[in-house]
């Protein structure tokens, strides 16, 4: 399996990162190390190079206030590294407030960067109390003509089934995390059941969103197998089938060679 979204460079692994990575390398083909700030994108690339996995470069929408011209230049340099397979994670996050206009402007700059280097985009989308981030993201993506619309994945998908279909109509992939194992996430689990298998990715978002049976503990890439097991249960197929299909999808989207 490939964990399509993890944050092994985060401080939460400072004391036992090597042990966690060893478990991941023993059980998985690898994972994609996701950048969330300029500095963490740099660390992601370093980690990917050291452990022969893959990385992205981008800035989480909650951290765009720190972006300056130097930061953009550094990200562009990182995107030219062979380990970097995508721009991300970038997008819209209204959970703690934030300006739609500012986030949209920065997101469109990241999309331009992805187009320049022919990279897919890892989209982060989180609703706020009074703002539906998925509706805004769909509007933004729909504003691009088919020929220039970015390709990408909605990571840790949290939208509705109707929104999932709208994303699929625009060529996007949908990624599911340990959330589908939660007892209080029946709607997301139902969406995972209905999403066409050729457009599904699996992820941990480690160290967050730990799946059952380890919910409440720190997550790690090796736990992506629990996401695969739950997806197989929901779809009525074998875990081996989920493993095969999601690996193919991940390789296709991120242009990862066999």
């Amino acid at each position: 399996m490939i964990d399509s979204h993890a944050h092994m460079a985060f401080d939460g692994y400072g004391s036992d990162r090597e042990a966690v990575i060893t478990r991941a390398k023993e059980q998985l083909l690898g994972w994609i190390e996701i950048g969330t700030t300029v500095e963490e994108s740099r660390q992601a690339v370093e980690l990917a190079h050291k452990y022969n996995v893959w990385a992205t470069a981008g800035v989480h929408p909650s951290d765009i206030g720190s972006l300056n011209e130097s930061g953009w230049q550094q990200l562009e340099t990182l995107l030219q590294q062979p380990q970097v397979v995508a721009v991300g994670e970038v997008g819209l996050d209204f959970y703690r407030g934030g300006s739609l206009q500012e986030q949209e402007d920065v997101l469109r700059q990241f999309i331009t960067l992805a187009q320049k280097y022919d990279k897919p985009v890892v989209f982060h989308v989180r609703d706020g109390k009074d703002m539906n981030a998925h509706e805004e993201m769909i509007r933004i993506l729909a504003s691009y003509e088919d020929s220039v619309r970015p390709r990408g994945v909605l990571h840790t998908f949290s939208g509705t089934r109707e929104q999932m279909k709208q994303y699929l109509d625009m060529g996007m992939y949908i990624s599911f995390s340990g959330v589908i194992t939660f007892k209080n996430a029946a709607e997301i689990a139902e969406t995972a059941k209905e999403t066409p298998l050729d457009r599904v990715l699996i992820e941990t978002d480690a160290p967050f969103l730990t799946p059952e049976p380890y919910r409440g503990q720190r997550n790690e890439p090796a736990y992506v197998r629990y996401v695969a097991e739950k997806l197989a249960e929901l779809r009525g197929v074998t875990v081996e089938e989920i493993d095969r299909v999601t690996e193919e999808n991940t390789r296709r989207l991120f242009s990862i060679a066999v």
Side-chain angles (χ1 to χ4, degrees):
M1 299 179 189
I2 298 176
D3 179 358
S4 68
H5 193 115
H7 303 280
M8 287 304 305
F10 276 19
D11 291 341
Y13 298 103
S15 62
D16 63 345
R17 183 176 288 108
E18 290 294 334
V20 174
I21 287 174
T22 296
R23 286 194 290 273
K25 297 290 281 186
E26 288 174 347
Q27 299 182 45
L28 309 175
L29 291 173
W31 71 93
I32 300 177
E33 181 70 20
I34 306 294
T36 58
T37 66
V38 175
E39 175 59 22
E40 286 168 0
S41 294
R42 183 187 62 77
Q43 293 173 356
V45 175
E46 290 179 353
L47 187 149
H49 179 76
K50 181 176 180 180
Y51 295 103
N52 194 29
V53 292
W54 310 278
T56 71
V59 176
H60 188 285
S62 297
D63 295 306
I64 59 175
S66 62
L67 255 180
N68 54 30
E69 186 60 34
S70 173
W72 283 107
Q73 291 173 357
Q74 292 177 62
L75 289 169
E76 189 159 0
T77 298
L78 291 173
L79 285 169
Q80 299 172 57
Q81 304 304 306
Q83 296 84 8
V84 177
V85 295
V87 170
E89 61 185 284
V90 299
L92 303 174
D93 191 316
F94 304 122
Y95 183 70
R96 295 180 178 85
S99 162
L100 168 59
Q101 191 61 60
E102 180 184 17
Q103 292 189 33
E104 179 174 343
D105 288 347
V106 172
L107 173 59
R108 288 186 183 276
Q109 286 181 263
F110 274 120
I111 288 173
T112 298
L113 205 56
Q115 292 167 328
K116 179 177 180 178
Y117 291 99
D118 193 25
K119 305 282 188 184
V121 180
V122 177
F123 292 104
H124 170 102
V125 187
R126 191 176 189 186
D127 291 339
K129 181 179 180 181
D130 301 311
M131 296 188 71
N132 189 309
H134 283 287
E135 288 183 1
E136 298 296 344
M137 181 62 77
I138 289 167
R139 173 185 60 80
I140 291 168
L141 292 175
S143 72
Y144 292 87
E145 295 185 5
D146 291 349
S147 60
V148 294
R149 182 177 297 121
R151 65 190 192 279
V153 57
L154 282 301
H155 112 86
T156 304
F157 187 68
S158 60
T160 65
R161 279 174 279 181
E162 181 57 36
Q163 288 166 340
M164 173 267 287
K165 293 173 184 177
Q166 290 177 282
Y167 284 125
L168 294 179
D169 287 344
M170 292 188 287
M172 301 298 151
Y173 288 72
I174 306 294
S175 182
F176 296 100
S177 67
V179 171
I180 64 172
T181 72
F182 298 172
K183 292 181 175 62
N184 62 347
E187 184 176 356
I188 295 299
E190 190 64 26
T191 300
K193 181 179 179 180
E194 295 184 11
T195 305
L197 267 183
D198 64 352
R199 304 287 278 282
V200 171
L201 305 187
I202 53 176
E203 64 170 281
T204 58
D205 199 18
F208 313 110
L209 303 177
T210 311
E212 299 288 357
Y214 295 107
R215 188 177 183 186
Q217 302 177 39
R218 183 192 63 185
N219 205 356
E220 59 180 79
Y223 291 172
V224 76
R225 70 180 183 273
Y226 297 107
V227 181
E229 288 172 359
K230 182 63 177 181
L231 189 57
E233 175 190 324
L234 291 167
R235 306 295 300 237
V237 300
T238 64
V239 176
E240 289 76 16
E241 176 69 1
I242 296 298
D243 180 1
R244 181 187 66 80
V245 171
T246 58
E247 179 194 338
E248 289 178 355
N249 296 343
T250 303
R251 290 188 183 279
R252 184 187 314 117
L253 175 61
F254 295 107
S255 299
I256 295 173
V258 176

